Amino acid sequence: MSKIILDRLQEKFGADVLETSSFRGDDVAVVRPSRWREVAEFVKNDPACQCDYFVDLSAVDRCDPNTDDLDMPDRFEVFFIVHSLKKKHRVRVKARVSGEDPRIDSIASVWSGANWQEREAFDMFGVRFEGHPDLRRILMYEEFEGHPLRKEYPANRAQPLVAYRENTFDKLGPFLRDEGMPLNRSVSVDLERTPENPHALDKNN
Amino acid sequence: MADLSSDTRIVGGGESGFVTTRFDALLNWARKYSLFQYPFVTACCGMEFMAAASPRYDLARFGAEAPRFSPRQADVLWVVGTISQRQAPALRRIYEQMTEPKWVIAFGTCASCGGFYDNYATVPGIDKIIPVDVMIPGCPPRPEAVLDGLMLLQKKIGEGDRTPAVLKNTEMPEEHKRSLEQLHQIRLKR
Ligand code: SF4
């Protein structure tokens, strides 16, 4: 690949393009978050880039909750991937925002496809996209607290909308003979829940 | 009539014979062979449900033929696939809309216990939300397992047993093994 987009970006934004790299035709540019929206408009409208097709936008949580400061300045890496149908090239642009107050400009007005992707990144990571027309959660529900893909969120902490029923049993076994029967079923069931038999089931369940 | 309980007696014989039984036994016998189903299909298990319901495996053989897409008309709720926390209120509502008597089958590992989704998004088994009668493990379960689960439900209906049951691996009865063997031999000879 000819890295046209990376060259054009460096020409136009100079030191605000912090890093570039290219791996097997995948061009990546890391830019300063303050120029995010301008960069997006540029790669869309520049005659040499013409990235008219929006592919993806999301975020990455780069911190290690055990060793890193959760408020570290470059914690969340927001990226978008865009493609040019005319020039047949694509680019990934990234920007790093702080963990303390992750904010970045919305690019939903540049590519309208970014609208829902930004809502997802907000939902999962809590990155605020300024100027987004309707920044609400998209996958989780309004009652959900926190942002589940942040590293400090415990992976199996559920926030049920419907209160769980009681006396449900642990299905990881070991199974008792009453919890399933072979095809020629003839087992009659003893359902007392005793200390030796903690998995036994409630008849009224 | 063989499946009616021991309360059933055939009295008399010939053309004038008649049968006595307990009313609830008769009712349960009738119910278990006319299950109207409501498929609540949310994920990949749905493919296997389609296979089980379509002619090759043919759920209809067990009287569970007619799917009803209104829970008010259904007897069995098939919960087929992963239930997310966000979907839980909908599932609960559907269950509440069904009229008594009603039964629930958890189809697949996800519906039974959350499967490999031990995370913020998935309900760890629909029995956390609604009462379940039969859980069919498998990711997805084979149609044979599904039919076995349905037969287990029928047996439970016949007995009036409302305890949740996990379908276990099924041993093939000896005579079936033998007849399969014979079939195989016949094929080989052709
Ligand atoms: S049990 Fe397996 S096949 Fe069924 S819904 Fe879950 S992941 Fe999909």
Side-chain angles (χ1 to χ4, degrees), chain B residues 43-45 81-82 108-110 116-117 138-140:
Chain B
C44 19
C45 268
T82 325
T109 307
C110 281
F116 46 74
Y117 301 108
C139 179

Side-chain angles (χ1 to χ4, degrees), chain B residues 86-98:
Chain B
R86 194 174 172 171
Q87 214 168 13
L91 176 62
R92 171 132 205 133
R93 191 73 180 273
I94 293 281
Y95 177 77
E96 283 165 357
Q97 284 177 352
M98 290 171 69

Side-chain angles (χ1 to χ4, degrees), chain B residues 18-190:
Chain B
F18 60 93
V19 172
T20 64
T21 183
R22 267 178 33 229
F23 182 67
D24 59 344
L26 182 68
L27 205 57
N28 282 343
W29 175 80
R31 276 173 182 160
K32 73 181 188 181
Y33 292 118
S34 66
L35 293 169
F36 282 30
Q37 16 171 355
Y38 181 87
F40 190 90
V41 180
T42 55
C44 19
C45 268
M47 290 296 152
E48 216 57 37
F49 180 76
M50 289 168 214
S54 58
R56 181 160 188 132
Y57 293 98
D58 202 6
L59 225 45
R61 288 181 292 160
F62 302 91
E65 177 152 33
R68 292 283 136 180
F69 296 104
S70 159
R72 291 162 211 277
Q73 300 168 353
D75 304 312
V76 185
L77 174 62
W78 290 85
V79 182
V80 182
T82 325
I83 301 296
S84 61
Q85 297 286 2
R86 194 174 172 171
Q87 214 168 13
L91 176 62
R92 171 132 205 133
R93 191 73 180 273
I94 293 281
Y95 177 77
E96 283 165 357
Q97 284 177 352
M98 290 171 69
T99 46
E100 292 282 354
K102 54 190 172 186
W103 294 274
V104 178
I105 296 183
F107 184 120
T109 307
C110 281
S112 304
C113 67
F116 46 74
Y117 301 108
D118 181 16
N119 63 14
Y120 61 91
T122 306
V123 177
I126 56 162
D127 59 334
K128 294 267 188 273
I129 296 174
I130 55 177
V132 178
D133 290 286
V134 172
M135 303 182 198
I136 308 174
C139 179
R142 287 189 55 85
E144 291 91 332
V146 178
L147 298 180
D148 198 14
L150 183 65
M151 285 156 69
L152 174 57
L153 179 68
Q154 289 178 329
K155 181 172 156 51
K156 281 160 55 82
I157 294 172
E159 291 173 356
D161 174 10
R162 297 310 304 260
T163 45
V166 177
L167 190 73
K168 276 191 193 150
N169 278 351
T170 302
E171 285 280 332
M172 191 186 282
E174 276 306 318
E175 72 255 36
H176 290 202
K177 275 190 199 154
R178 273 198 302 278
S179 56
L180 262 187
E181 193 100 317
Q182 282 164 4
L183 264 181
H184 191 59
Q185 294 297 339
I186 294 169
R187 282 218 190 109
L188 283 183
K189 272 184 206 142
R190 276 197 192 144

